[in-house]
Amino acid sequence: SYLNDGSIWNVWIDMKNSFIQVRISNTLTRPTLASLSYTYDLAKQIGSRLEGYVGFGSSVGESFSVHEI
């Protein structure tokens, strides 16, 4: 399956400390293994402000697609 095959895809984003894991599935079952894992120091980016805003973005170029969060 491909992400642009017309299926409904579900994404789980987990963050613990600075470790982020992303899981993707075209079912409602959360995969055991992450599709993508990386380390990102979000606290360093936010700094001493103790608050921040997080957003999601998506794009499909010239194609049409619906992204619901």
Side-chain angles (χ1 to χ4, degrees), residues 15-30:
M15 183 170 191
K16 184 173 185 179
N17 299 323
S18 294
F19 190 63
I20 300 172
Q21 292 184 317
V22 179
R23 292 171 171 79
I24 303 171
S25 175
N26 60 355
T27 71
L28 293 176
T29 303
R30 181 180 181 271

Side-chain angles (χ1 to χ4, degrees), residues 35-60:
S35 303
L36 174 67
S37 300
Y38 58 97
T39 301
Y40 183 75
D41 192 350
L42 186 60
K44 181 178 179 181
Q45 298 302 316
I46 294 173
S48 61
R49 295 178 298 218
L50 301 178
E51 64 180 48
Y53 296 94
V54 178
F56 294 92
S58 62
S59 176
V60 293

